[in-house]
Every structure is written in C-alpha cells, then in structure tokens.
Amino acid sequence: MSKLPDFEGLAMFAKVAEEGSFAGAARVMGVSVPTVSRAVARLEARLGGRLFNRTSRQLALTEFGHSLAGKAGELYRHAEEAESEAQDLSVQPRGQVRLAIPMSFGLRWVAPLMPRLLRQYPELSVDLHLADAAADLIADGFDAALRIAALPDSSLVARRLCAVSQYLVAAPAYLAEHGTPSHPRELSQRPCLSYAYRARSQVWRFTHARSGEEEDVVPSGPLRVTNSDALLPVLLDGLAIAELPEFIAAEYLASGQLQRLLPDWHMTRGGLYFVTPSARSRPRKIQALSDFFAEHLATPAWRWPPEP
C-alpha cells in the first residue's frame, strides 16, 4: 500500500457524504458517477471497512463512515482554501459556495441580487439554502450565512452589513375594533402572534425611546409560525397584533395595510450579518461574496420611514 494518503478518495467520499448521493457528488465535482464510485470503493478497500450502506433507493453512512466524514470534509475544505489562496488576486472567484439565509429575507432581498452576482462572477456557483432555522455552518458544511440577530454567534466570524429593526404592527381594522394600545403591558390582554425562530427568546422586550423604561411581554395568541410571512394573512385580516422585521413590514406600512404601534418604544434592535466559520484562510470566493453583500445591502431599500 502506498504511504501517500488517498486524497482523491477522501475528497470524493466527503462530497458523497455531503450530497447524500454518488450522482450529486459527481455533478458538483464535474466528474462521472463511475469515477466517484471507484474512488470510494478504493478508499474502502484501503481502510478495510464499508463507508456506506447501499440499497437501490437509499445511501447511508455506516458508523465507520460517520467517524471519517467530518475529517474528510475538513480536508476537502482545506484543500479548496489552499487552491484559492494560491490564485492571483486578479483571478475571478470560482467554485461553489454553500450559503444559508432566512427564508423571507432571502426571497425578498437576496434572490433578486442573484442575476447581478452571477454576471459579476461567472465562474461562481451558489448553493442557496433558504430556511428560518439557523443552520450549523460547521456541522452542515456551509461556507457562509446571512443572519438577522441582535448579536452574532460568538463561535463564528461575523461582518455586520446593516441594522434591522423590528416593528409592532396591526391592521387598521383591528385597531378600529379593539383600540390602539398605549403601553406594552396592555399587550398581555391582546391576541399577539409569535415567531418560533425569534432570536434569543420568545420575550418581546420594549425600551422607551426617551425615558429608557423597559417592559417585557410574553406574546400569547392564536398563531405561532416558523416563517414570518405566514403571519400576514391573519394580521391583514385584523385578527391580532404581531412583530415583523422592517424588511417585511415596510411595504405594508407604506400602503397603509398595517400601522406601527407604540412608536415611542423600540423593540430589540438587531442587524444583518455575513457569518463564516473562520476568518483564517478565507477563500477568495467567500471574500467576494461578503464584499458583494456589503455593497448591495449596507443601505437597504426597505427602511421605514424611507430615508431621503
């Protein structure tokens, strides 16, 4: 047996484990399925154990495969970083970027930027994952994420792109029937909709803009969702009050379909962050993506009230 590690076999095994199929790994790496299959079989023979349990319909890592997948994936990423660093700075960023973003924000503000991004970097491909649950960048193999939070995850490297405010809103029909609350403590007697993936906690924390008085409210109502857009039908029908991020609320506030409540109080103020697992040896493609979003999202069009 050669003393040189089977780097190709390890790389192809890592991609199969990440993609969940030989065909998916072959597509990402630009090789044939038989090439991937032979490489994994060669690695299994070298290591003396099966890495996958295969059936006609399913591919699953064995316990042995699980023990190796993380290290093989890390080796693959290190190799990508080494190649990227070796490229001259004038070379266009290239390769695939796995990017995780919140669903509503991604559909409204990131997806419309994709044509410009792909034209600017024609050798770049983006594997875009839209979900409101925060992805584990390291465990799930993501290169980067856009996150909206009060504070970035301390285990990650975060670049703040812009502020993101949260607004308490209701429809004019609701206010006409039930009246407008004048203090946060009144919300405990009102139907309030809630968002399951709210950062930090399910408590609404209010701070008075002038006095600094603080008031905490635990929202209680007929609907709890995992995506803020799902709140809109109930809100617009005048059935309840809810908290919305300004990048969703702004268009409805502008049209008058929703009204902002308690304007003298502000809710927890957060920001939009571009986060990566590490700042060391950051591939050029990741830096290019970070700079692109900083350029196009630093002065967002969703501000309410609109900025001059």
Side-chain angles (χ1 to χ4, degrees):
M1 178 189 298
S2 170
K3 293 183 178 180
L4 182 68
D6 186 355
F7 292 111
E8 182 186 63
L10 287 166
M12 292 192 174
F13 160 66
K15 274 300 173 187
V16 174
E18 181 180 301
E19 296 294 326
S21 73
F22 283 82
R27 183 175 60 255
V28 169
M29 292 186 291
V31 298
S32 68
V33 173
T35 297
V36 178
S37 181
R38 285 194 297 268
V40 172
R42 184 179 68 241
L43 184 64
E44 288 178 325
R46 179 187 179 99
L47 299 178
R50 293 184 65 81
L51 298 170
F52 295 103
N53 287 320
R54 305 170 179 83
T55 68
S56 59
R57 295 185 177 181
Q58 190 175 13
L59 183 72
L61 285 166
T62 63
E63 184 177 351
F64 179 53
H66 269 294
S67 69
L68 182 62
K71 291 181 179 179
E74 186 176 354
L75 181 66
Y76 190 100
R77 287 189 290 275
H78 284 321
E80 278 192 316
E81 290 172 4
E83 284 191 351
S84 181
E85 286 181 6
Q87 294 173 351
D88 185 86
L89 291 178
S90 65
V91 174
Q92 281 273 2
R94 60 165 60 94
Q96 185 186 73
V97 176
R98 300 190 75 230
L99 177 67
I101 56 176
M103 176 73 74
S104 294
F105 181 79
L107 291 174
R108 279 178 167 82
W109 301 104
V110 177
L113 292 175
M114 286 297 103
R116 184 176 298 181
L117 175 70
L118 298 178
R119 285 195 178 98
Q120 185 170 335
Y121 300 117
E123 296 185 57
L124 196 68
S125 66
V126 181
D127 186 358
L128 197 61
H129 289 248
L130 296 95
D132 282 7
D136 186 327
L137 267 63
I138 298 172
D140 296 335
F142 286 104
D143 298 299
L146 288 173
R147 285 192 177 164
I148 297 166
L151 289 173
D153 187 332
S154 60
S155 67
L156 302 172
V157 178
R159 178 180 184 178
R160 194 173 189 269
L161 303 181
C162 67
V164 178
S165 297
Q166 304 287 329
Y167 292 146
L168 192 71
V169 295
Y174 174 87
L175 301 177
E177 182 176 353
H178 302 285
T180 302
S182 59
H183 194 282
R185 70 172 66 98
E186 296 177 35
L187 298 175
S188 61
Q189 307 302 317
R190 306 267 188 144
C192 296
L193 312 180
S194 55
Y195 173 60
Y197 294 130
R198 191 177 189 276
R200 316 294 286 180
S201 74
Q202 295 302 309
V203 176
W204 288 354
R205 179 153 294 162
F206 294 87
T207 304
H208 196 274
R210 292 188 298 276
S211 69
E213 177 189 354
E214 294 185 348
E215 186 79 26
D216 289 351
V217 176
V218 179
S220 177
L223 181 65
R224 184 170 182 262
V225 301
T226 58
N227 180 270
S228 293
D229 273 305
L231 298 173
L232 289 170
V234 174
L235 263 180
L236 296 173
D237 204 44
L239 296 178
I241 293 170
E243 172 197 40
L244 286 180
E246 61 176 322
F247 61 81
I248 294 178
E251 67 174 286
Y252 297 97
L253 292 170
S255 68
Q257 292 174 275
L258 293 176
Q259 293 183 19
R260 184 183 176 189
L261 308 182
L262 304 174
D264 292 334
W265 298 77
H266 64 76
M267 305 184 78
T268 302
R269 290 173 171 168
L272 172 66
Y273 295 89
F274 183 86
V275 298
T276 55
S278 173
R280 294 183 304 160
S281 303
R282 176 178 285 183
R284 178 158 168 72
K285 62 185 180 180
I286 304 302
Q287 187 60 51
L289 200 64
S290 175
D291 292 342
F292 177 86
F293 286 129
E295 176 184 356
H296 295 289
L297 296 174
T299 54
W302 65 71
R303 286 284 177 250
W304 180 262
E307 294 177 351

